Amino acid sequence: MVKKFALIAGAATIALALSACQDQASSGGGARDYISAVGSSTVYPFATAVGEKFAEATGNKTPKIDSTGTGGGFERFCQGVGGDTPDIANASRRMKKKEFDTCAANGVKDIVEIQIGIDGIALGEATRGPGFKLTEEDVYKALAANPYGKPNTAKTWKDVNPALPAVAISVFGPPSTSGTYDAFKELILGTGCGANPEMKELKASDADKHEQVCTALRGSPFYVEQGENDNLIISKLDKNPTSLGIFGFSYLDANKDRIKAVPVQGVSPTYATIADGSYPGSRPLFIYVKKAHVGVVPGLAEYVAEFLKGAGDGGYLAAKGLIVSPKAVSDAANAAAKGMTPLDGSVLK
């Protein structure tokens, strides 16, 4: 009897929250008669382009999309269900198990995961820059706080690798709340660290220490966080031609007149190299949808469908730098969106 009452009470709480959401949608001022999305700065330009197409095609209001960073987006998304919480979290990495658990604890029970495409973490420099060619290990030795467990004393790129320019190590990048930051540490920094056999042994014996040694970044002036605004990094490179920047491929692609790609492991980030996985910084992009808001927030399912239309083969988001997912992944994304199939949290890490 107690268990049954708890279930009824829980359902009632969600119903009240959604009722408030619907009341706001039908009241004056348009408080919740639009879609609310938060999260990744990398996904932001794609989400806004889709929002414009969606509004034009359906007559609904243009979605409100905030660029908070992936981590910050999940934090807001997982606060609960109802009109004062976002409908969608945009993400440049997959949701973590601890984030999924936080969502569940706050009543966000049915989350739909949809991969919208592929992106690359690009390293770039000003068009008049020195022409860097880096390895993952070069990047690790330059930016790790304690490379291989020892304090980092390198001041110039030449200190890291005699073949590199004798210019000060200066990299503008995303903050710790960003999915790009997380992915950069995993795909570039962590891989560079793993090139050392001793680090492989450390991972087997002490995973926590390995994580700290391999992914902790040194601070300013070597690595300088620039907030959730990749365009600011582009501007910084204009003014600092010997510095490097870290951002999503779409920003590199959209600013070819101002910046150029830095090859990593001899491979430059391009549509083709990211799509086939030969570029080391390739990563998937996602949107996460609150199923409880579908059918309550006007046009939510239609917006998701428009996103997948734009992200598909021949879709308009390719012109903005989004790379189409492999067919099997695209098919799975479309099936999840059509059925609003909740994510199984047990598959997350």
Side-chain angles (χ1 to χ4, degrees):
M1 187 68 175
V2 173
K3 189 178 288 185
K4 182 177 181 181
F5 175 78
L7 289 171
I8 292 170
T13 300
I14 293 172
L16 283 170
L18 288 174
S19 175
C21 179
Q22 201 158 30
D23 287 345
Q24 288 176 24
S26 60
S27 65
R32 281 302 270 123
D33 57 349
Y34 59 82
I35 294 162
S36 171
V38 295
S40 167
S41 62
T42 300
V43 177
Y44 178 81
F46 308 132
T48 53
V50 172
E52 291 167 6
K53 290 278 189 181
F54 159 79
E56 182 182 323
T58 65
N60 285 299
K61 287 192 173 182
T62 303
K64 182 177 184 294
I65 300 164
D66 291 333
S67 177
T68 63
T70 297
F74 280 136
E75 186 176 335
R76 286 174 57 182
F77 180 80
C78 291
Q79 286 176 349
V81 172
D84 58 349
T85 65
D87 312 308
I88 295 173
N90 300 324
S92 57
R93 60 162 171 79
R94 198 174 199 190
M95 178 179 272
K96 297 175 182 177
K97 182 64 165 62
K98 64 181 179 180
E99 291 164 336
F100 182 88
D101 291 342
T102 298
C103 270
N106 290 332
V108 186
K109 303 287 187 181
D110 291 326
I111 302 168
V112 184
E113 178 186 75
I114 298 167
Q115 184 175 327
I116 57 163
I118 305 171
D119 180 47
I121 300 166
L123 275 76
E125 62 182 328
T127 51
R128 64 187 190 281
F132 285 95
K133 294 180 181 178
L134 302 173
T135 65
E136 294 154 336
E137 194 168 14
D138 291 336
V139 177
Y140 173 70
K141 288 179 178 179
L143 296 183
N146 296 286
Y148 310 128
K150 298 176 183 178
N152 199 335
T153 59
K155 290 185 168 56
T156 72
W157 286 98
K158 195 175 184 67
D159 293 337
V160 169
N161 180 341
L164 294 175
V167 298
I169 297 167
S170 169
V171 178
F172 300 110
S176 59
T177 53
S178 168
T180 299
Y181 178 93
D182 290 337
F184 169 72
K185 291 201 302 180
E186 177 187 350
L187 298 174
I188 305 295
L189 216 64
T191 304
C193 176
N196 184 299
E198 291 181 12
M199 293 300 101
K200 293 179 181 177
E201 293 174 10
L202 179 62
K203 186 174 184 178
S205 63
D206 190 337
D208 290 340
K209 185 175 181 181
H210 175 270
E211 174 78 10
Q212 197 279 330
V213 168
C214 285
T215 64
L217 286 166
R218 61 201 306 206
S220 180
F222 307 104
Y223 182 86
V224 184
E225 295 185 7
Q226 294 299 302
E228 296 292 350
N229 186 348
D230 289 2
N231 285 314
L232 179 59
I233 298 176
I234 306 295
S235 298
K236 289 280 187 178
L237 296 182
D238 261 350
K239 298 172 183 175
N240 301 274
T242 60
S243 295
L244 297 181
I246 300 168
F247 29 69
F249 169 72
S250 62
Y251 287 88
L252 173 69
D253 195 52
N255 292 277
K256 293 175 183 173
D257 58 328
R258 302 167 67 190
I259 55 174
K260 60 186 177 183
V262 172
V264 178
Q265 300 296 122
V267 182
S268 291
T270 66
Y271 192 101
T273 60
I274 294 169
D276 66 18
S278 59
Y279 177 68
S282 300
R283 58 166 176 178
L285 300 178
F286 301 91
I287 60 173
Y288 290 85
V289 184
K290 269 178 200 163
K291 186 173 182 178
H293 286 199
V294 176
V296 179
V297 176
L300 184 53
E302 290 81 1
Y303 173 78
V304 173
E306 179 63 39
F307 214 133
L308 289 175
K309 176 184 173 185
D313 195 17
Y316 53 87
L317 292 179
K320 293 189 171 293
L322 183 65
I323 295 159
V324 178
S325 298
K327 186 177 184 306
V329 175
S330 294
D331 288 347
N334 279 285
K338 185 175 181 180
M340 285 293 159
T341 309
L343 171 66
D344 177 0
S346 68
V347 303
L348 301 176
K349 298 178 181 178

